[in-house]
């Protein structure tokens, strides 16, 4: 099972870390593993590098793409794929500041259809995996 966090990175930081995604990953990883008494500092720093998702637009785009598929379901801002033919069980939760994606697949279906792909950085903190979505 893989757990991904998808962040929309502000353009200046995206351009700065395009060729060195490891540095961006380490910053996000450090924020992810901070303890509770450091949350305010981490939030302020995180706010400087990330951009917001348009929740409603992304939610509607995903729904329009998958609405006629039998293996798809949606509740509020949570989208799910249960495809027994490809052995994929994926859950995507849309938040304003990040997307939360849990899947049995290495590359979940949702990642292939999220548009626009530019400035989206994907992290799996548990497996120490990261990549720019546009390079997928």
């Amino acid at each position: 099972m893989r757990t991904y966090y998808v962040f929309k990175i502000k353009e200046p930081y995206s351009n700065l870390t395009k060729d060195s995604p490891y540095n961006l990953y380490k910053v996000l990883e450090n924020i992810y593993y901070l303890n509770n008494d450091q949350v305010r500092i981490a939030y302020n720093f995180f706010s400087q590098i990330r951009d917001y998702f348009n929740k409603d637009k992304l939610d509607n785009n995903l729904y329009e793409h998958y609405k006629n598929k039998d293996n798809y379901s949606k509740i509020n801002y949570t989208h799910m794929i249960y495809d027994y033919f490809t052995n994929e069980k994926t859950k995507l939760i849309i938040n304003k500041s990040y997307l939360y994606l849990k899947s049995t697949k290495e590359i979940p279906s949702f990642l292939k259809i999220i548009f626009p792909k530019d400035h989206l950085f994907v992290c799996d903190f548990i497996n120490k995996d990261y990549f720019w979505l546009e390079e997928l």
Side-chain angles (χ1 to χ4, degrees):
M1 200 68 134
R2 301 288 301 257
T3 302
Y4 293 103
Y5 294 86
V6 181
F7 302 101
K8 187 173 185 179
I9 305 298
K10 290 182 179 177
E11 189 172 356
Y13 295 101
S14 174
N15 292 336
L16 186 65
T17 59
K18 230 7 141 188
D19 297 328
S20 57
Y22 176 76
N23 295 332
L24 178 59
Y25 171 75
K26 288 307 285 182
V27 167
L28 293 170
E29 181 186 45
N30 287 333
I31 292 170
Y32 179 78
Y33 285 114
L34 282 178
N35 56 31
N36 287 341
D37 59 334
Q38 298 170 321
V39 168
R40 176 173 273 201
I41 296 167
Y43 179 78
N44 290 337
F45 185 69
F46 181 61
S47 296
Q48 291 177 13
I49 64 172
R50 66 100 175 98
D51 212 347
Y52 288 107
F53 285 97
N54 184 333
K55 278 180 69 169
D56 294 325
K57 183 177 179 182
L58 182 55
D59 184 64
N60 289 334
N61 287 347
L62 286 170
Y63 177 73
E64 286 301 316
H65 182 79
Y66 284 107
K67 69 181 176 185
N68 294 324
K69 307 225 187 238
D70 292 334
N71 60 356
Y72 170 77
S73 62
K74 173 189 179 309
I75 300 170
N76 296 325
Y77 291 99
T78 301
H79 301 259
M80 293 158 285
I81 294 177
Y82 294 105
D83 191 339
Y84 295 104
F85 297 112
T86 63
N87 200 25
E88 178 178 6
K89 293 179 185 171
T90 301
K91 181 179 186 178
L92 170 69
I93 301 173
I94 300 172
N95 297 294
K96 283 177 65 173
S97 56
Y98 68 95
L99 307 178
Y100 175 82
L101 190 62
K102 192 163 187 102
S103 180
T104 56
K105 290 294 214 182
E106 187 103 358
I107 306 296
S109 300
F110 289 128
L111 287 181
K112 298 173 184 173
I113 59 118
I114 295 175
F115 291 103
K117 292 185 184 306
D118 57 328
H119 309 298
L120 297 183
F121 192 66
V122 182
C123 298
D124 178 352
F125 297 113
I126 295 166
N127 293 299
K128 309 252 185 251
D129 191 13
Y130 56 91
F131 53 90
W132 288 102
L133 189 56
E134 64 195 39
E135 295 175 3
L136 184 63

